[in-house]
Amino acid sequence: MTETGIILKGIGGFYYVRTQSGVIECKARGRFRKAAEKPVIGDRVTIEVQDDGTGYMMSIEPRKNQLLRPAVANVDQLVVVCSAAPPKTETLLIDKVTAIAAHKGIDTLIVINKCDLDRGDRLYQIYTQAGFSVFRVSAETGEGVDALRAALAGKVSAFAGNSGVGKSSLLNCIDAEFNMKTGSISPKTERGRHTTRHVELVELPGGGCIADTPGFSAFDTEKMDLIRKDDLQYAFPEFEPYINQCRFTGCAHVKEKGCAIRAAVEDGKIPRERHESYCKLYESVKNLKEWE
Ligand code: GDP
Ligand code: ZN
């Protein structure tokens, strides 16, 4: 009998696939063991279920997108957890990650944690004005967590955030069993801090799944080598209305005269910090060799 489903986790050659009839342990055989065709979590697959209740992989649907480190396919939304309380998140870091997500066609939610300590008004302003959905939450008091949970329902979400921002606390607040399910040790005991844990999709009681991606490692934050300089402007969605209004075609929107994006920054229509991040990222991708 064949069934379709989504891969929740993969350990040692076994994959755990959520289908209508349950989570089925599957073996990857033949071509699916080759690196090029290896299944990853989030893959939508068709499996053949055998008499003993285990299955094997028949086919993988084409991926709509993929994060590379860790590998997660078909991500509906990226959730960037940040904080205005120490350790404060640099907007450049947020903007690198949202740019890569936008480039891959993945929506981003911005979550400002530790609101009990600092409301993060400027972060809230910047990302709301830039067109993102922004949530203010506190893993400590539970404020805003219901609204965030509602935004996660029925979707595959990947969580990223700089260390110390409260990402694991927040995941546990969203789903009280999250850390237990992923086998991580409670931060309070400090034990097993360095145990590596596999990445998996954790199903939420209200539908939908979340993957906890360590730090910002799912994104090549060092090199931005996924984005060409001419494409970077499109990775800042709020630039879109102005892009074709610059005086010169091919305007880099950095220091050029008659730049409509710089004018929009001066008019307060584009957050200044976003344009500053754009300029820094532009500088870093400018000198990359054109590939192809
Ligand atoms: P992670 O490195 O992002 O996973 O961060 P943790 O979840 O380990 O949290 C880092 C520290 O911040 C811990 O001491 C948490 O108790 C604390 N913390 C996390 N969320 C909040 C919050 O919303 N408010 C306050 N006041 N502290 C928090
Ligand atoms: Zn321009």
Side-chain angles (χ1 to χ4, degrees), residues 115-171:
C115 276
D116 53 305
L117 299 177
D118 190 319
R119 308 284 304 155
D121 287 339
R122 185 58 193 152
L123 286 175
Y124 188 85
Q125 254 177 357
I126 294 171
Y127 293 98
T128 305
Q129 193 183 22
F132 294 92
S133 300
V134 187
F135 295 81
R136 291 205 239 222
V137 304
S138 166
E140 186 73 20
T141 67
E143 182 195 340
V145 174
D146 284 341
L148 176 58
R149 207 184 278 117
L152 303 175
K155 305 216 160 135
V156 175
S157 308
F159 273 65
N162 52 309
S163 162
V165 85
K167 182 158 59 81
S168 15
S169 307
L170 184 60
L171 287 168

Side-chain angles (χ1 to χ4, degrees), residues 149-286:
R149 207 184 278 117
L152 303 175
K155 305 216 160 135
V156 175
S157 308
F159 273 65
N162 52 309
S163 162
V165 85
K167 182 158 59 81
S168 15
S169 307
L170 184 60
L171 287 168
N172 242 15
C173 209
I174 291 164
D175 174 358
E177 287 160 22
F178 188 90
N179 289 344
M180 200 183 75
K181 286 176 183 164
T182 55
S184 73
I185 311 288
S186 150
K188 287 211 179 77
T189 71
E190 295 280 323
R191 273 176 54 227
R193 266 227 144 157
H194 302 287
T195 50
T196 48
R197 54 177 168 146
H198 57 274
V199 175
E200 66 178 80
L201 286 181
V202 174
E203 296 182 286
L204 295 172
C209 320
I210 45 188
D212 177 13
T213 66
F216 281 113
S217 64
F219 306 88
D220 194 350
T221 50
E222 287 301 310
K223 288 202 182 122
M224 295 280 296
D225 56 1
L226 291 163
I227 308 182
R228 292 154 184 255
K229 71 178 192 335
D230 297 337
D231 290 335
L232 187 63
Q233 58 192 329
Y234 301 108
F236 286 71
E238 75 274 31
F239 288 11
E240 189 83 46
Y242 308 101
I243 284 173
N244 291 320
Q245 296 179 22
C246 299
R247 188 179 304 159
F248 303 108
T249 45
C251 178
H253 321 305
V254 177
K255 283 184 178 151
E256 290 72 9
K257 287 224 168 68
C259 174
I261 286 173
R262 291 182 60 209
V265 173
E266 291 311 318
D267 290 350
K269 295 192 174 113
I270 290 176
R272 189 171 296 281
E273 291 89 337
R274 290 275 291 171
H275 182 250
E276 284 168 1
S277 292
Y278 168 85
C279 292
K280 287 183 186 145
L281 297 177
Y282 189 86
E283 196 57 37
S284 72
V285 295
K286 191 171 75 172

Side-chain angles (χ1 to χ4, degrees), residues 76-80 97-99 101-102 106-110 131-133:
D76 291 316
Q77 56 194 12
L78 167 73
V79 180
V80 176
V97 177
T98 61
I106 302 173
D107 287 339
T108 303
L109 307 185
I110 304 288
F132 294 92
S133 300

